[in-house]
Amino acid sequence: MSGTANLAPMLLALGAAFCFALALILTQFGLRTMPSWRSPLYSIGGALVVAWLAAFVFVDWSTFNLDAALIFAGVGCIFPVVVSILSVRSNERLGPAVAGAVGNVTPIFAVLGAVLFLGEHLGLLQLSGLAMVVGGVALLALRGGTGGRHWSVWVLGLPLAAALVRGAIQPAIKTGLALWPEPLAAAAIGYALSTVVIVSLVGRRALREGPAMRSGVLWFLCVGFANGSATFLLYAALGLGSITVVAPLVALFPLIGVVLSWIFLRGEQLHAIGLLGILVSVAGVILLLLGGT
């Protein structure tokens, strides 16, 4: 794919990265007024409404493909619902800077999935980049959290698991989009299934607990809008470009998250080792990108 042809998926992927980072910051404000177990009801439900309203207007349903829809539905059973649950918990325990930074391992899972299932190939630059991403996460594990937080190393498993899911679904989404190139429909169908899953998990408990605070609901509706926009942009990028180009750019969201944390959450600053870990990871992402173009 030429440099010009790469531009559109690259811009879409960067837009997705910004929206994922913004969702991390908004989550911190929402967690001040709502418990983490309840928040995905509103973030996923809000994104569902927005996605379907847009899908009814912009999707060409006359080209509907059942096989693609089933793929999108299957993905929706785990994404974004599982990632939403893991992300809000890791954000709560680690803070947005560290939680987002550990999400930088997503390209490892996405690129390896592309190699195993889609026949894409890794070059020397990409292998070096993968090693640097892992090294950057290891540096993050050497230092405790931000904002006075203290956590065990095992807590890193929360964002790592979210990264695994986020990376693993990308080959499946790309396969579905090859059959039916409607990323907005993919997002809408996926959010519909994710809403069913989250309601089945915590809906009854939410009813017992009574109404949530209005401010918390509004914050997590905004989180849902940000994550929904990120999901659509990610799917659109995957529909136009290679996973080895899209995934590394989306994985820049931790760096964007650090900048947004510095602006809006002054108590969530990373220490020097953590910042070094992010820089090493971002350097690895850049090598992945160079190797995929």
Side-chain angles (χ1 to χ4, degrees), residues 14-99:
L14 286 173
F18 176 81
C19 290
F20 278 131
L22 179 62
L24 286 173
I25 304 305
L26 295 174
T27 295
Q28 278 296 308
F29 289 102
L31 286 173
R32 297 172 183 176
T33 56
M34 181 181 294
S36 57
W37 65 265
R38 188 169 194 157
S39 60
L41 277 174
Y42 305 100
S43 60
I44 294 175
L48 168 74
V49 173
V50 173
W52 274 100
L53 288 175
F56 281 128
V57 175
F58 297 109
V59 172
D60 182 6
W61 293 98
S62 65
T63 62
F64 177 81
N65 183 286
L66 179 59
D67 290 336
L70 290 174
I71 292 174
F72 301 148
V75 169
C77 291
I78 59 171
F79 180 83
V81 60
V82 172
V83 171
S84 295
I85 294 170
L86 292 170
S87 294
V88 74
R89 289 291 291 154
S90 60
N91 204 332
E92 182 180 43
R93 297 292 298 272
L94 302 171
V98 175

Side-chain angles (χ1 to χ4, degrees), residues 65-145:
N65 183 286
L66 179 59
D67 290 336
L70 290 174
I71 292 174
F72 301 148
V75 169
C77 291
I78 59 171
F79 180 83
V81 60
V82 172
V83 171
S84 295
I85 294 170
L86 292 170
S87 294
V88 74
R89 289 291 291 154
S90 60
N91 204 332
E92 182 180 43
R93 297 292 298 272
L94 302 171
V98 175
V102 178
N104 240 2
V105 302
T106 294
I108 296 177
F109 303 119
V111 171
L112 291 181
V115 171
L116 292 174
F117 302 111
L118 300 180
E120 298 189 17
H121 301 285
L122 289 178
L124 180 60
L125 281 177
Q126 289 176 297
L127 289 172
S128 301
L130 289 174
M132 293 181 70
V133 170
V134 173
V137 172
L139 286 173
L140 284 168
L142 294 176
R143 189 63 185 255

Side-chain angles (χ1 to χ4, degrees), residues 157-180:
L158 295 171
L160 284 173
L164 171 60
V165 174
R166 193 183 290 113
I169 62 94
Q170 293 184 29
I173 289 298
K174 188 166 181 65
T175 300
L177 290 172
L179 299 173
W180 186 27

